[in-house]
Amino acid sequence: MGDATARATDGRTGGRSGDTVEDAEESAAGGPSGAAPPPPGPPGIAATGRVRQPAALIRLLAGLAVIALTLLSADYARATTNGLAEDVGGAAALLPHPLGGVATGLTTAALLLLLPGCSAARRLLAPGTDRRHVLQQLADGVLAAVLAYGVTLLAALWIDGPAPFSLVSALTRPLPGVPLAHTEPVYGYLAPVLAFLTASATRERRVPWAVLTLSALAGIATGAATPTALLLGVLIGWTAAHGTRWAVGTPDPRPRPGQLLHSLREAGLHPVSVTPDGPDRYLVRQRGDRPDLDVQLLDRQAVTAALVQRAWRRLRLRTAPHPRALRSLRTGLEHEALVSYAAVAAGVRTRPVAATAELGRDAALVAYRRLPGRTLDELADEEVTDALLADAWGQLALLQRRAIAHRALVPSALLVDPAGAVHLVGLADGDIAAGELVLLSDIAQLLTTLALRTGAERSVRAAVSVLGPDAVAAALPLLQPIALARGTREALKRAARRDGAAAAPRVPAQRTGPAAPATAPAAAGPAAGPDLLDRIRAEVLCSHPQAPVRPVRLERLRPRTLLAVVGGVVAGWLLLPQLFATEQNPIATLGDADPFWLGLAVLAAAAGHVAGAMGFVGFVPERLDFRNAVLAQLAGSFVKLVSPGGVGGVALNTRFLQRAGIPTAQALSSVGAGQLLGLVLHLLQLGAFVYLTGVEPGNSELDALPAVVGGLMAAGVLLAAVSAVPPARRWLAARLRPLTAEVLPRLVELLRNPGRLAVGFTGQLLVSLTLIACLYCCARAVGREPAFASVGVVFLVGNAAGNAAPTPGGAGFVDTALVGLLKLFTDDGGALAAVALFRLLTFVLPVLPGWAAFTWLQRRGAL
């Protein structure tokens, strides 16, 4: 990285006796720099106290997940697990028994006594060691070892006791010659030692892992443990270590002032003092007239804290930067320095890199030459001139010319020096040879950043004057909130709330005639309302009317797609084991379905769309095309694939009414009225079917009824309590205001047309009845004869519970709820076959006709 850049391979201060802050201050006391000595023990630098590292929590959760997955795999794949244990045991039987006993004794002694003791002694006796720091780490290791040993004992007791016998047989092997005895389900020797070594942060890897491996092999050779028991011991030890490190914290790994000074001197610099200058940032003064340094600390703890959010953004967006936590510190160090060098070579004004250094395993630093100045958010309004905006765009143009992406053009990345020149800083997430989308997203980001400060007109005018109208227009498809930095999105929301609150009192003032012009300029200010992005688009279109405005799709993976996948996995996990847990094969039962009842089920499923259209048009006073209304209900089967529960149907019906010429408020009121009456009828039908089942209260089939009644009573008590508290009552009134202000007046208007209201009432009633009839016919088609009222209870309860899930169409949850409830009235195989056939007719098969209906209505302007 050049002559001025070097790396220190160790961040300790034991290299020279004079590498302390006090000595550095004394050597600089008479120097020409005149730097004031830093205060003793500045906060944010000294490694005092303990911190909880997010990486430890992530590893703890990962370890728990792998342990659970190992137990589930061992239970479900018993044949494979037992076969592996038998093969390993057969190979171990070939070894002479005395040799195996000697190997076990030696490795156990080395594992339990020599390895931890030698590791601790070696670290304590090493020259230049901070013994207090090492003792803290060794104490953490002892605590983790005790915890791991306790967990292995509890796990062994649980597996030998209440755990399923299949799990015991998968984790153990019978001991030859000892009746009813078996090997340990968890190999307890490995867990404490591994927990001690991991929690104490030992840097030695080869010898400990060699001893651990020999001990594991000796345990297998002598038949003391199975491979799965060994794996569980390793996982428990590793997980207990990271659980301890997260629970009690670890000594603060951030470097001390002496470490920073020592590393910078090793890199060829001449530092004399270190002063905190923000989170993980330090101001370093040098000897003589050498320039000051801005030191940026790359702390693995701080980077890992945002790992989940940055990894999800990287997975979701095509333009997201690579998560820094997934890089090694050395790779991150090299990347940041390389991007800075590339920017300097492109002629961009930025902070040049003076040195880089590694500070052990958990930290590194990048030292930049300090640039005096203020960031964009620190400037006064009158200082943000058009020349300054043009200079900022000129610096970005230099980056764009070399295909270098900045990725973080927020106000803090625009540094203005005393002469008014703009410097682009903060290139840690930048890219070299960036793609077109990433480069265009930089333009969109800077447009928004400057518009938040100066308004859309000035921001776009400066951009067009430097980049040209074509380049700015090409960034319009990237001008969407998801492509902007998180801080920019939050600033847009704050500005929208501020402008919305300020707009209300200004409305009367604008009606007073002469006073209105006086208040207009104050309202204009930096245009940053809820439609700021629309204002930017409008300004760009003024200079380039043919600019593309359709947003480009930046998402690789949408949250609703992830929900659909999770729902499918949950459904498969819950339903597929039932295919093998029943005496009768549900697939064979479907193949033998009665054609008569199957035909009736198909007719009932089709009639449900007609009933839905009746229940929809009956609550709309305006005249609608009934054929298109039926097609809209059929199109709802297609919309279910991308929307949870009944959300897609509500949006589709509202859009259908809007395209029919009905204002949005009235459309929402009609749809809301239908939904409200449908909910009331749903509860009334549930009560009627529960009554018609004729089951005594003590019957096990309806043991859940007292819980349901108790839940309703608790809800009533909660509603009364909320109504008695004024703040809660106001919150509830605000949530119910749309119902009283829109839906109820719509119902009153419908009372003037009782014929249409009767159609809507009948349709809402038939929607549930047709689906209940479909499920009943499916049960009869597979040879089961449950009572119709019982099927009604199953559908109304199961469908309501499943639709509360956030997955599209209730996938996974509706199926599980219906199967579980229908088992109360028929056998397991019949319940699964009936629900599978029902979901096939009402959820899967209507998708293709629904897509055709959706497309047909769109082409005719009905959607």
Side-chain angles (χ1 to χ4, degrees):
M1 292 187 182
D3 297 336
T5 304
R7 293 189 182 92
T9 56
D10 193 354
R12 298 178 182 174
T13 59
R16 290 182 290 183
S17 60
D19 290 336
T20 62
V21 179
E22 291 77 6
D23 293 334
E25 293 168 358
E26 291 173 2
S27 63
S33 63
I45 297 182
T48 59
R50 304 173 74 88
V51 294
R52 287 192 175 97
Q53 296 191 9
L57 177 60
I58 293 174
R59 290 168 181 164
L60 168 64
L61 298 177
L64 293 175
V66 175
I67 290 174
L69 184 62
T70 302
L71 294 174
L72 289 174
S73 301
D75 192 16
Y76 276 96
R78 290 187 297 273
T80 303
T81 305
N82 292 332
L84 177 63
E86 291 176 1
D87 293 340
V88 173
L94 300 177
L95 296 176
H97 185 70
L99 180 61
V102 172
T104 302
L106 291 177
T107 54
T108 302
L111 185 70
L112 297 180
L113 300 176
L114 298 179
L115 183 59
C118 292
S119 174
R122 182 175 180 274
R123 296 178 61 187
L124 286 172
L125 298 178
T129 299
D130 185 351
R131 289 184 174 83
R132 180 180 179 183
H133 182 73
V134 172
L135 287 174
Q136 288 180 343
Q137 291 180 326
L138 293 177
D140 295 343
V142 172
L143 179 61
V146 173
L147 176 63
Y149 185 69
V151 172
T152 56
L153 290 180
L154 292 177
L157 291 175
W158 175 75
I159 294 173
D160 286 333
F165 178 76
S166 58
L167 186 61
V168 179
S169 62
L171 297 176
T172 63
R173 285 192 308 159
L175 291 177
V178 183
L180 301 179
H182 55 74
T183 59
E184 291 294 332
V186 181
Y187 196 58
Y189 295 111
L190 294 179
V193 178
L194 181 60
F196 173 82
L197 295 175
T198 304
S200 61
T202 179
R203 296 187 177 183
E204 184 63 39
R205 290 289 185 267
R206 296 179 181 178
V207 174
W209 276 106
V211 175
L212 290 173
T213 303
L214 290 175
S215 177
L217 293 176
I220 292 176
T222 57
T226 63
T228 311
L230 290 172
L231 178 61
L232 279 178
V234 172
L235 290 175
I236 289 176
W238 187 80
T239 305
H242 291 292
T244 302
R245 298 187 71 178
W246 183 77
V248 303
T250 57
D252 195 340
R254 288 178 297 179
R256 294 177 174 85
Q259 291 176 281
L260 292 176
L261 295 174
H262 173 76
S263 299
L264 292 174
R265 288 185 186 131
E266 291 291 326
L269 302 177
H270 303 81
V272 295
S273 65
V274 180
T275 306
D277 193 27
D280 293 332
R281 296 178 61 88
Y282 308 104
L283 170 61
V284 176
R285 300 190 182 277
Q286 296 197 87
R287 184 177 294 112
D289 57 352
R290 296 177 178 87
D292 296 340
L293 302 174
D294 281 324
V295 175
Q296 176 68 48
L297 182 66
L298 304 180
D299 183 8
R300 187 177 297 280
Q301 172 190 347
V303 172
T304 308
L307 171 62
V308 175
Q309 179 184 357
R310 294 173 70 91
W312 164 246
R313 188 168 176 84
R314 174 69 177 177
L315 177 65
R316 182 184 179 188
L317 296 182
R318 297 160 59 190
T319 58
H322 187 77
R324 282 180 284 176
L326 301 182
R327 307 171 182 159
S328 66
L329 278 177
R330 179 180 290 272
T331 303
L333 202 66
E334 293 173 349
H335 176 82
E336 185 166 348
L338 182 61
V339 175
S340 179
Y341 288 141
V344 171
V348 179
R349 289 192 294 267
T350 187
R351 297 179 301 183
V353 175
T356 62
E358 285 184 330
L359 304 172
R361 296 183 304 166
D362 296 325
L365 64 85
V366 181
Y368 297 94
R369 293 179 186 173
R370 184 173 181 83
L371 295 175
R374 294 171 294 165
T375 58
L376 180 65
D377 49 356
E378 296 173 340
L379 298 178
D381 290 341
E382 58 273 11
E383 295 179 285
V384 185
T385 63
D386 290 341
L388 186 144
L389 299 181
D391 191 19
W393 284 110
Q395 296 301 303
L396 179 60
L398 294 174
L399 287 179
Q400 298 268 315
R401 195 172 302 156
R402 295 290 184 93
I404 302 174
H406 189 287
R407 289 185 176 273
L409 289 169
V410 294
S412 59
L414 303 177
L415 183 68
V416 182
D417 63 17
V422 176
H423 301 253
L424 299 183
V425 298
L427 291 162
D429 286 327
D431 274 338
I432 298 175
E436 182 182 6
L437 279 180
V438 179
L439 295 176
L440 292 177
S441 66
D442 271 356
I443 299 177
Q445 174 66 52
L446 189 57
L447 275 172
T448 310
T449 298
L450 297 180
L452 281 166
R453 186 61 195 272
T454 65
E457 181 181 358
R458 291 182 61 191
S459 176
V460 173
R461 185 170 64 243
V464 171
S465 66
V466 176
L467 302 181
D470 293 337
V472 178
L476 284 188
L478 276 297
L479 197 64
Q480 43 185 308
I482 197 172
L484 303 176
R486 181 180 181 182
T488 305
R489 297 197 301 270
E490 294 175 352
L492 286 171
K493 294 178 182 178
R494 289 194 301 268
R497 289 194 296 266
R498 183 175 62 249
D499 288 359
R506 282 200 297 267
V507 172
Q510 293 176 356
R511 296 179 180 176
T512 59
T519 58
D531 57 345
L532 175 63
L533 300 184
D534 291 334
R535 297 180 191 177
I536 296 176
R537 294 189 189 96
E539 292 293 336
V540 174
L541 289 174
C542 290
S543 60
H544 196 290
Q546 293 79 26
V549 294
R550 184 183 182 88
V552 65
R553 180 174 177 179
L554 299 176
E555 292 177 295
R556 291 193 188 99
L557 179 66
R558 297 186 178 184
R560 61 190 182 191
T561 305
L562 184 62
L563 286 175
V565 173
V566 171
V569 171
V570 171
W573 182 268
L574 296 176
L575 296 178
L576 287 181
Q578 302 183 39
L579 294 174
F580 310 99
T582 58
E583 297 179 358
Q584 297 181 352
N585 189 349
I587 298 178
T589 305
L590 284 176
D592 298 333
D594 189 334
F596 173 75
W597 287 105
L598 183 59
L600 291 180
V602 173
L603 291 177
H609 299 293
V610 179
M614 293 174 57
F616 171 52
V617 301
F619 292 94
V620 182
E622 294 81 4
R623 185 175 181 85
L624 297 175
D625 188 335
F626 187 75
R627 181 191 62 178
N628 287 349
V630 175
L631 292 176
Q633 305 313 302
L634 182 60
S637 303
F638 169 69
V639 178
K640 284 181 182 179
L641 291 179
V642 292
S643 61
V647 175
V650 171
L652 185 71
N653 290 336
T654 303
R655 179 62 176 171
F656 180 80
L657 293 180
Q658 289 175 331
R659 299 295 290 177
I662 300 175
T664 302
Q666 285 81 350
L668 290 172
S669 300
S670 295
V671 174
Q675 294 290 320
L676 177 63
L677 185 59
L679 174 62
V680 173
L681 291 176
H682 186 98
L683 296 176
L684 292 177
Q685 289 178 89
L686 177 59
F689 281 124
V690 168
Y691 175 77
L692 292 175
T693 51
V695 179
E696 296 298 329
N699 196 312
S700 61
E701 291 181 347
L702 290 180
D703 283 345
L705 284 181
V708 174
V709 175
L712 294 176
M713 295 178 61
V717 172
L718 180 62
L719 180 62
V722 169
S723 301
V725 180
R729 185 169 62 248
R730 288 192 295 268
W731 177 85
L732 183 62
R735 296 301 182 274
L736 295 178
R737 188 172 295 115
L739 176 66
T740 58
E742 299 175 2
V743 176
L744 293 182
R746 193 70 163 173
L747 286 175
V748 173
E749 182 180 356
L750 287 170
L751 290 176
R752 302 173 184 173
N753 192 343
R756 184 173 290 271
L757 187 60
V759 171
F761 181 88
T762 305
Q764 291 289 344
L765 185 64
L766 289 177
V767 167
S768 298
L769 292 178
T770 52
L771 292 175
I772 294 171
C774 181
L775 180 58
Y776 175 77
C777 293
C778 290
R780 295 297 300 268
V782 298
R784 306 304 185 271
E785 298 184 3
F788 187 84
S790 301
V791 176
V793 173
V794 169
F795 173 79
L796 293 172
V797 175
N799 192 61
N803 278 331
T807 57
F813 296 90
V814 171
D815 312 84
T816 304
L818 291 178
V819 170
L821 291 170
L822 196 56
K823 284 181 181 180
L824 300 174
F825 303 99
T826 185
D827 60 278
D828 293 354
L832 184 59
V835 171
L837 182 57
F838 172 74
R839 292 290 281 175
L840 180 68
L841 296 178
T842 58
F843 182 67
V844 178
L845 292 182
V847 170
L848 186 58
W851 170 80
F854 186 85
T855 304
W856 191 87
L857 291 173
Q858 273 193 325
R859 290 180 177 177
R860 281 155 180 78
L863 278 181

